[in-house]
Each structure stands twice: as structure tokens, then as C-alpha cells.
Amino acid sequence: RSELFELRFEAGVESRSEPHLPGVAELIVCLSGRLRVGPAGEEAELGRGDAVWFAADVAHSYVAPQGARALCWMLYPPGALR
């Protein structure tokens, strides 16, 4: 199973996320602006057109040094949401 979200961030926003269920992954695609996303110590800098995949079953964050828009594709392992 998967879900797709559109994310919008105002300049200077920092959002922290607690770990998701075991085996959950996220694919983030930056549509505009700039983002720094991922698990602590493993963040990726994204600009328009850049993407990153990471295991989201650990604490992670989204930081927008300037306004940004992105797609977040949440990927769940089989049976995770039963």
C-alpha cells in the first residue's frame, strides 16, 4: 500500500516527524524551492527536480530554508496497516 501527499512549506519552517511503522519508507520529490529532508545526520538537500528515498521508521525532519513544495510518497510494507 502507498499514499501520495503534496507538501507545502513556508520559508523557515522546520517539521519533525516521529518514526512511522517498521518498514515504512518515504520518497520525497521537490517541486519548487529548497528542502533539507531525512533522518537525523542523513538529511539530503533538495532543489527543484531532486528526489530522495529514506527509511521513515526512524525520526526524521523536513526543513525549508525558503518556501518549498514537494510530493511525499509513503510506501508501506505488506500488512503494515491491517
Side-chain angles (χ1 to χ4, degrees), residues 28-35 45-51 66-70:
I28 307 295
V29 180
C30 184
L31 301 175
S32 64
R34 298 202 62 76
L35 285 172
E45 297 277 342
L46 303 180
R48 183 179 178 191
D50 293 336
Q66 59 180 260
R69 195 168 66 104

Side-chain angles (χ1 to χ4, degrees), residues 4-51:
L4 183 64
F5 301 96
E6 181 179 3
L7 307 175
R8 292 178 183 264
F9 300 97
E10 297 293 327
V13 166
E14 183 171 339
S15 176
R16 298 190 186 278
S17 179
E18 294 298 317
H20 298 296
L21 295 170
V24 173
E26 291 186 24
L27 173 65
I28 307 295
V29 180
C30 184
L31 301 175
S32 64
R34 298 202 62 76
L35 285 172
R36 189 169 56 250
V37 300
E42 299 177 29
E43 297 92 345
E45 297 277 342
L46 303 180
R48 183 179 178 191
D50 293 336

